[in-house]
Amino acid sequence: QGMGCCFAGLRRSSPRCAFSWQTWSGEQPVLSDRMSPSWVIVRSTKDMRALAASLPRSNDRIVEIGCSFGLCTEVLASHNALLFAFDVGNECVERTRKLVGLAATVERVDCIESFEWIQAVVKRNSVNVFFVDLGGCRRSEDVLPVLVGLCSFHPCVCVVKNEELFDQAKATRRLNPQWWAGITRGVVCPGRSTSREMQKNYMNFALRYPERNVPQSGLKICRFFNYGTCRKGGACTFDHSHCHCCLQTGHLAVDCSLLAQ
């Protein structure tokens, strides 16, 4: 408690303690003896990359879910470990491949619609480390099904970046099995039983879609504004007036009849 992070010091002798949780925001080194699975929640991309630099070992087998443009992937690849990186966006996958080359296997995978594919990779390669970033500002309930699925693999280390989950964990005095059971009550592993609402949330993930420009000016259209929330607001240099789907003004892509078709 006095270390500046919320660390669940769960006793390995307790049969109910399957793993320990902690939140981390750069104050202290993460404590992981790897004798019991350690799950770490971070809030920022900076902290995610810091742990990517410090936690993995050369003999690890790592899966990164949500590699985005590959900046964290590049850090993970520096350990010369077996590395798989997945993202739902074609552009993300292509840019990550160019960045890391043969240092990682990078594939386009939707972790909600194709979680069975991820399961196969994990089992086939005895993956023991996960880095998960499904959009740091995404709702925690959209991320929890994936984490529930990953729990079944009992990884040595799992680092999760999600702002809402971090804030919820920070507000909890003790991150114990009861806390985890409470927030995952009723949550199921991704697959055929995944709710339509959750699948819709992933369909609206901005980086699933390719870059598009305003026909007249050539200005890039903001995908985050069209399919969710642009956190840059008025400071965003991309176009907020045109639909990313049909290129017309007056509505967003999420409301476009062409997208629905």
Side-chain angles (χ1 to χ4, degrees):
Q1 290 286 348
M3 295 178 60
C5 61
C6 297
F7 175 67
L10 305 180
R11 294 178 300 173
R12 289 186 292 275
S13 58
S14 172
R16 295 184 300 171
C17 296
F19 49 81
S20 62
W21 283 91
Q22 59 181 300
T23 57
W24 190 80
S25 53
E27 307 97 333
Q28 294 288 338
V30 170
L31 303 180
S32 176
D33 58 11
R34 296 203 172 192
M35 295 180 66
S36 60
S38 296
W39 290 61
V40 186
I41 311 170
V42 299
R43 201 177 196 278
S44 72
T45 301
K46 178 182 177 181
D47 290 338
M48 185 81 160
R49 293 175 189 166
L51 294 184
S54 62
L55 285 183
R57 303 172 182 175
S58 60
N59 61 342
D60 281 333
R61 297 160 303 281
I62 308 169
V63 160
E64 181 187 15
I65 300 178
C67 63
S68 187
F69 297 134
L71 297 181
C72 187
T73 315
E74 185 178 32
V75 177
L76 291 170
S78 67
H79 299 284
N80 296 318
L82 182 64
L83 174 60
F84 300 88
F86 305 126
D87 202 279
V88 72
N90 287 322
E91 181 187 356
C92 294
V93 169
E94 292 304 318
R95 288 178 61 169
T96 300
R97 284 174 175 168
K98 291 180 181 179
L99 189 63
V100 301
L102 299 177
T105 300
V106 185
E107 299 290 347
R108 183 193 178 280
V109 178
D110 188 313
C111 65
I112 289 294
E113 296 178 355
S114 306
F115 191 76
E116 295 84 357
W117 196 91
I118 292 180
Q119 286 179 314
V121 171
V122 172
K123 292 179 180 179
R124 187 182 308 121
N125 297 280
S126 301
V127 171
N128 66 329
V129 174
F130 292 99
F131 278 74
V132 183
D133 181 3
L134 299 178
C137 58
R138 190 180 295 278
R139 296 182 307 172
S140 61
E141 55 260 42
D142 295 336
V143 178
L144 287 175
V146 176
L147 301 186
V148 169
L150 297 181
C151 277
S152 62
F153 302 122
H154 305 290
C156 292
V157 175
C158 183
V159 179
V160 181
K161 175 177 170 283
N162 183 262
E163 295 176 6
E164 187 173 289
L165 189 60
F166 180 93
D167 292 341
Q168 290 174 356
K170 268 292 190 181
T172 303
R173 290 190 175 183
R174 183 169 176 80
L175 302 183
N176 54 27
Q178 289 73 32
W179 168 78
W180 174 247
I183 66 171
T184 58
R185 184 174 293 112
V187 176
V188 296
C189 175
R192 294 180 179 178
S193 58
T194 302
S195 69
R196 290 179 179 271
E197 180 183 358
M198 185 173 297
Q199 290 186 10
K200 181 180 178 181
N201 289 339
Y202 274 89
M203 282 299 295
N204 289 344
F205 183 48
L207 296 182
R208 290 180 62 106
Y209 304 95
E211 290 185 350
R212 302 195 74 184
N213 302 333
V214 177
Q216 296 81 8
S217 65
L219 184 65
K220 290 182 180 179
I221 299 174
C222 182
R223 290 171 287 178
F224 290 99
F225 185 75
N226 265 264
Y227 297 100
T229 302
C230 176
R231 302 180 65 191
K232 295 182 179 179
C236 181
T237 58
F238 292 175
D239 178 85
H240 282 199
S241 301
H242 290 75
C243 169
H244 179 268
C245 188
C246 69
L247 303 182
Q248 301 300 310
T249 58
H251 63 273
L252 299 177
V254 289
D255 303 315
C256 185
S257 57
L258 187 61
L259 179 68
Q261 295 172 9

